[in-house]
Amino acid sequence: MLTNYIKIAWRNLWKHKLFSVINVFGLASGLVVCFLAIAHIKGSFDYDNFHPNRDRTYRILTDVVGKDNDVTPFATSPMPLAEVLKREYPFVEEATRVSKTYAEFSSNQKRFMTMSYAVDPSFFRIFGYKLAKGQPATEPNTVVLTRETAEKFFGTANPVGRVLQNTDLGPITVTGVLADMPAKSHLVFDMLISLQTAWTPQQRASFADWRNYRTGLTYVLLKPGTPADALEKVLPSVVHRATHTLHFKDEKGYSLRVQPFTKLSPARQELMHITHEPQIGGLLLEASVGLLTLLLAVFNYINLTLARSLSRAREVGIRKVAGAVRWQLVGQFMAESVILSLLSLGLANVMLEFIKPMPFVQKWLINGVEWNWQLTAICVVFSVVAGLLAGIAPARVLSGFQPSQVLRSQTGLRIIRGISLRKSLIVAQFAISMIAMIGLLSMTRQMNYMATADYGFRRDRVLTIPLNTIPAQRLANEVNRLAGVEHVSGTSELFGSFGYGHFVKQKRNALDSSMAFVWATDPQFIATMDLTLLAGQNLPPATADSVASGGSRLVLINEEAVKTFRLGNSQEAVGQSLWLNDSAEVQIAGVLKDFRYTSFAWSIKPLIIQNNPGQFRYLTVSVAAGAEDAVLADTKRIWKRLSPYEPFAGQWYSDFLEQRHTHPEDRDFMTLLLFLSFSIACLGLLGMVTYNTQTRVKEVGVRKVMGAQVSQIVWLLSRDFVRLLLIAAAIALPIGYLAGYAFLSNFAYHVPLGFETFALCFGSLLLLGGLTIGIRTYRAALDNPTESLRSE
């Protein structure tokens, strides 16, 4: 029986090739997106699976109770906790502290910003990070590097025993190089520094403060056979003993709880200061996108199968008269859907090979995921289940036909529910596709706006050069001699990036500190970037004293800083003082007109500009019109002479802003999803129009014989489908508006949701749908009526 099912199913699919192709392509497109989501979801459960004793390892979380009694969970915990647990509780085998830090290190005439973790010696006993060379960093002023970081600093040379330099920590000796991790980890870093290192007094005080629950992570390894409850029960008493005499500034207090390491990824709860494990919300969103794309394809299958119900009606009637029961007919139709799903699985695998190399797919969805037999089996089972689910509705409808009705007259058969269902599915397909198009267009317009908008500073014909180990003044002197160079200046960061925030007070002992961004530049920077000085004077040149003390005492601020620190107006602010991080008093030399210097997600924040050559990381060069190519070529030659072993990484400021904000890999992947959704919808519509014209071929012949024009027949055949497109647009436009507004509201400065966005989306919907309908109906209208009426 099963063999007969498969044979008959294959014959039916081969007989209706167009409908089969539409269904196979649609299901394959939906399966591709689902497979990518499945791979990412599976990979999220594989995080940190290379660590030994995962079932005995736990992370300590902190639940902070605010003044308003709101509880905020943190992935971090107080740094002294690990030592107390290891010392006082015998069931704790190991405990370790992990503290994230961003710092700049230099060595081998190279200088890089790195993301590091400071760790205890026990870190290497709890976790399974293998070493390819050397030993763990357990002694003061030692570090182990990842392979990528070691190659950045030392190339192919052995880095063990070499020294890295850091301004605060001094010389740090490399003791080892980590092997490549066999799976992704929730801890992402460039190096691991020993916590035994001589940190600054402020850092050491922070590590010992029980009120500071934001600085570090705490991991505990329990002895074999110890339940997690044993650790959970002692945490309240630990917190009480440590904090009952402490005064908290912004919160009532906190409690600690245990998170099993095996349940760390994916993250079931949103935590503050979370590490790099995937969030369950993001995974659900990915799964929803995949299922939605697959659902569009399932709509096609249901639509086209029900549309062909009249041609299958007599087959069902004859089978029932011959003795077939309903479950046998259901099995026949389900066999067809399973064969379709298997064909779609094969096409999906081919499509997947073309999509895998896309940067977005490699970076976010399948990077590091091993496509093994388990994942393949999951995809095969998913495909078969999808095919079965897609075939349930048509199988139930078709197998329910009554022989007395279908064998008496095909023309008398009516499936009211089926017809309304098919129309609803077409509307849903195009409405979903149009909503996705509005969202994608809103995102693209916002990214282009951020890449091309007027920031308030000069962006054209400005060359940015990362300095690495070349002294800023030396390179500036060389470049300043070139013809076509207008101004040259050094800066710590590039405007348009996020920058670094500092706590700033108007008075040293004041309690009302505010966050401000601090940039290091020189006096030529205002002229280089065409900034406007509203009051006061420019920064003074750097002196030996100012360099030794960490920057000039005179600073520039923007208008927003004047408002935030309540300094009066721009003229009144000049000469007043501010305190940076409670340690450095600076005096305001001048006030700059506000300009956008960070992400467009934020409104303009207070800005402080200080002349501090020790922090210069970039050289900015303004170039006269027409001299861009010559200056760039000459600058490359200068760079090659000063730093022959480092590639030139300079770029124009406009290119930096475009790369910083456009995210082409994200946009390309979203465009692919949109293309798939519209392709599925248009192919489904094509199948419906094709079947509709086939069933009305004699009607068309009679109308042509009676004198109907081609345009009249085209409108007759297509008007119902055009009406469905208009209904889809009426549903999609308001929902798309809400989706676009929700996305753009994340930005302090954004493009308006203008009429052109909806006009373009609506026009695209009508164009694609109209072409799909019009081409097929026009061909039907041109057919010779003698062919269709020959048998009448």
Side-chain angles (χ1 to χ4, degrees):
M1 180 181 293
L2 181 60
T3 303
N4 287 334
Y5 282 170
I6 295 175
K7 286 182 179 179
I8 296 172
W10 178 255
R11 289 170 184 168
N12 274 308
L13 295 176
W14 186 255
K15 180 180 178 181
H16 304 282
K17 298 182 183 66
L18 175 62
F19 297 145
S20 299
V21 168
I22 291 173
N23 284 327
V24 168
F25 176 80
L27 287 174
S29 300
L31 289 175
V32 164
V33 183
C34 287
F35 290 168
L36 293 175
I38 289 172
H40 192 207
I41 292 171
K42 178 186 178 296
S44 70
F45 287 94
D46 293 336
Y47 268 56
D48 296 288
N49 62 3
F50 57 92
H51 297 301
N53 305 317
R54 293 176 70 235
D55 57 328
R56 295 192 286 124
T57 305
Y58 300 88
R59 182 168 70 175
I60 307 299
L61 307 182
T62 305
D63 291 323
V64 180
V65 182
K67 298 292 186 182
D68 54 0
N69 292 323
D70 285 344
V71 178
T72 304
F74 281 75
T76 51
S77 52
M79 293 285 278
L81 175 64
E83 183 181 355
V84 171
L85 293 177
K86 180 68 170 69
R87 183 181 66 244
E88 298 184 5
Y89 297 96
F91 55 79
V92 174
E93 182 174 322
E94 293 286 357
T96 187
R97 303 169 295 169
V98 178
S99 179
K100 180 187 289 188
T101 178
Y102 293 92
E104 183 179 74
F105 288 85
S106 62
S107 184
N108 198 30
Q109 296 184 343
K110 299 176 184 178
R111 181 167 57 188
F112 299 106
M113 288 294 297
T114 63
M115 185 171 70
S116 313
Y117 281 109
V119 299
D120 287 315
S122 54
F123 176 89
F124 297 96
R125 296 191 291 269
I126 293 178
F127 296 111
Y129 295 102
K130 302 296 184 183
L131 286 167
K133 297 177 182 178
Q135 301 296 325
T138 57
E139 300 297 324
N141 291 81
T142 58
V143 64
V144 295
L145 309 178
T146 63
R147 179 182 57 81
E148 294 84 357
T149 306
E151 291 177 355
K152 284 168 60 177
F153 278 108
F154 306 106
T156 58
N158 185 3
V160 177
R162 306 289 287 271
V163 175
L164 301 178
Q165 294 289 338
N166 177 264
T167 304
D168 295 327
L169 302 179
I172 307 290
T173 303
V174 179
T175 62
V177 177
L178 291 169
D180 292 337
M181 288 180 284
K184 284 190 173 182
S185 173
H186 73 293
L187 297 176
V188 177
F189 51 84
D190 299 313
M191 59 179 66
L192 297 172
I193 306 172
S194 172
L195 252 175
Q196 312 302 314
T197 298
W199 301 92
T200 64
Q202 293 87 349
Q203 290 170 320
R204 290 199 299 271
S206 173
F207 292 164
D209 190 352
W210 280 93
R211 290 171 297 189
N212 188 358
Y213 49 82
R214 303 169 184 262
T215 302
L217 303 161
T218 303
Y219 297 90
V220 178
L221 176 65
L222 300 183
K223 291 182 178 179
T226 304
D229 291 346
L231 178 60
E232 190 86 54
K233 291 176 181 178
V234 303
L235 291 178
S237 63
V238 172
V239 173
H240 177 73
R241 293 198 311 269
T243 65
H244 73 280
T245 60
L246 298 179
H247 173 70
F248 291 90
K249 177 182 176 183
D250 299 319
E251 55 275 324
K252 288 184 176 180
Y254 61 78
S255 60
L256 302 175
R257 58 187 166 97
V258 171
Q259 181 185 37
F261 201 77
T262 52
K263 296 183 179 180
L264 190 145
S265 178
R268 279 75 167 177
Q269 182 184 23
E270 288 191 13
L271 302 173
M272 300 295 292
H273 295 191
I274 197 169
T275 42
H276 293 268
E277 61 271 21
Q279 302 291 302
I280 193 69
L283 297 178
L284 290 176
L285 178 61
E286 291 174 13
S288 300
V289 171
L291 292 176
L292 186 61
T293 309
L294 184 61
L295 188 62
L296 295 178
V298 171
F299 285 175
N300 275 355
Y301 181 80
I302 296 173
N303 246 342
L304 298 180
T305 305
L306 291 180
R308 292 189 295 118
S309 59
L310 296 180
S311 64
R312 305 294 298 272
R314 285 192 174 179
E315 174 191 344
V316 172
I318 291 173
R319 286 178 180 276
K320 283 194 171 183
V321 170
V325 294
R326 185 169 184 176
W327 70 265
Q328 293 174 317
L329 295 172
V330 170
Q332 173 64 60
F333 293 120
M334 295 299 285
E336 291 184 19
S337 64
V338 170
I339 291 177
L340 266 178
S341 67
L342 293 177
L343 292 174
S344 302
L345 174 63
L347 180 59
N349 282 317
V350 175
M351 296 170 66
L352 199 59
E353 292 303 315
F354 287 97
I355 294 175
K356 277 182 180 180
M358 293 181 65
F360 179 89
V361 175
Q362 282 294 321
K363 184 177 181 180
W364 296 111
L365 296 181
I366 62 175
N367 183 30
V369 177
E370 182 183 358
W371 210 280
N372 51 23
W373 69 268
Q374 293 100 331
L375 187 55
T376 301
I378 292 173
C379 293
V380 172
V381 172
F382 182 85
S383 303
V384 173
V385 172
L388 291 173
L389 293 177
I392 288 177
R396 287 183 58 83
V397 172
L398 297 178
S399 63
F401 290 154
Q402 296 300 319
S404 60
Q405 182 183 13
V406 298
L407 294 178
R408 183 187 308 120
S409 173
Q410 269 194 346
T411 58
L413 182 63
R414 294 291 182 269
I415 312 172
I416 302 300
R417 291 182 179 178
I419 293 174
S420 61
L421 175 63
R422 296 201 305 272
K423 290 180 179 179
S424 300
L425 295 182
I426 291 177
V427 170
Q429 282 181 316
F430 278 95
I432 292 171
S433 300
M434 188 172 176
I435 292 170
M437 186 177 184
I438 294 173
L440 177 62
L441 187 58
S442 300
M443 183 181 72
T444 302
R445 290 183 64 219
Q446 176 64 20
M447 290 192 299
N448 289 335
Y449 170 66
M450 292 190 295
T452 60
D454 180 11
Y455 280 74
F457 60 82
R458 176 176 174 174
R459 51 177 295 158
D460 297 323
R461 304 193 315 277
V462 176
L463 183 64
T464 66
I465 309 171
L467 292 171
N468 291 339
T469 56
I470 298 179
Q473 193 58 50
R474 182 180 180 186
L475 183 59
N477 292 338
E478 296 277 354
V479 173
N480 218 4
R481 299 191 187 103
L482 300 177
V485 171
E486 296 176 338
H487 302 282
V488 180
S489 62
T491 180
S492 58
E493 293 292 328
L494 296 180
F495 289 155
S497 60
F498 283 100
Y500 296 96
H502 296 259
F503 287 105
V504 179
K505 300 178 181 179
Q506 189 174 5
K507 296 181 180 180
R508 185 171 191 176
N509 297 324
L511 299 178
D512 54 345
S513 62
S514 298
M515 182 68 72
F517 289 86
V518 179
W519 245 269
T521 66
D522 59 24
Q524 290 76 36
F525 195 73
I526 291 181
T528 303
M529 304 302 294
D530 285 346
L531 302 180
T532 302
L533 188 63
L534 298 178
Q537 59 185 3
N538 197 357
L539 294 172
T543 63
D545 292 339
S546 65
V547 173
S549 62
S552 171
R553 187 170 177 271
L554 295 176
V555 299
L556 299 177
I557 64 173
N558 63 351
E559 295 175 279
E560 184 62 29
V562 175
K563 299 175 186 175
T564 301
F565 297 110
R566 297 183 294 276
L567 302 176
N569 57 39
S570 298
Q571 296 291 341
E572 295 170 346
V574 175
Q576 298 192 49
S577 297
L578 295 173
W579 282 88
L580 305 183
N581 296 327
D582 294 337
S583 58
E585 184 182 17
V586 294
Q587 187 177 12
I588 300 169
V591 178
L592 294 170
K593 182 180 179 181
D594 277 342
F595 60 95
R596 300 167 185 171
Y597 60 90
T598 59
S599 168
F600 273 38
W602 304 333
S603 58
I604 295 176
K605 303 296 183 183
L607 172 66
I608 298 175
I609 294 180
Q610 185 180 32
N611 188 358
N612 187 358
Q615 294 185 2
F616 290 170
R617 301 294 177 264
Y618 296 88
L619 205 68
T620 54
V621 183
S622 59
V623 181
E628 297 95 320
D629 293 339
V631 169
L632 181 59
D634 291 339
T635 303
K636 288 181 178 180
R637 283 194 291 271
I638 294 172
W639 180 273
K640 187 67 174 177
R641 175 163 48 84
L642 297 179
S643 184
Y645 303 107
E646 283 294 315
F648 178 76
Q651 63 179 151
W652 298 104
Y653 224 118
S654 54
D655 294 337
F656 162 74
L657 292 175
E658 183 174 358
Q659 294 174 11
R660 173 72 178 76
H661 295 296
T662 53
H663 304 291
E665 63 277 1
D666 298 2
R667 185 177 57 193
D668 291 346
F669 186 71
M670 292 292 293
T671 303
L672 173 65
L673 294 181
L674 183 64
F675 168 76
L676 291 178
S677 66
F678 262 111
S679 298
I680 294 170
C682 288
L683 286 174
L685 183 62
L686 174 63
M688 290 296 298
V689 174
T690 299
Y691 187 80
N692 184 60
T693 55
Q694 289 175 350
T695 57
R696 301 179 68 177
V697 64
K698 285 185 169 58
E699 176 189 348
V700 171
V702 171
R703 289 181 180 275
K704 292 193 72 173
V705 169
M706 297 299 292
Q709 298 179 355
V710 172
S711 60
Q712 293 174 315
I713 294 176
V714 170
W715 175 244
L716 173 71
L717 296 176
S718 60
R719 63 186 180 187
D720 288 340
F721 295 104
V722 173
R723 190 178 297 115
L724 295 180
L725 294 182
L726 295 176
I727 294 174
I731 295 173
L733 286 175
I735 299 177
Y737 174 85
L738 294 176
Y741 179 80
F743 170 75
L744 294 177
S745 63
N746 293 313
F747 298 89
Y749 308 102
H750 57 77
V751 294
L753 267 174
F755 173 77
E756 63 274 12
T757 299
F758 301 100
L760 179 60
C761 294
F762 181 65
S764 300
L765 174 70
L766 291 184
L767 177 64
L768 293 174
L771 286 175
T772 304
I773 298 169
I775 292 175
R776 190 65 191 89
T777 55
Y778 182 72
R779 288 178 57 189
L782 291 178
D783 288 344
N784 190 342
T786 58
E787 297 293 331
S788 59
L789 299 177
R790 180 181 299 167
S791 61
E792 295 298 319

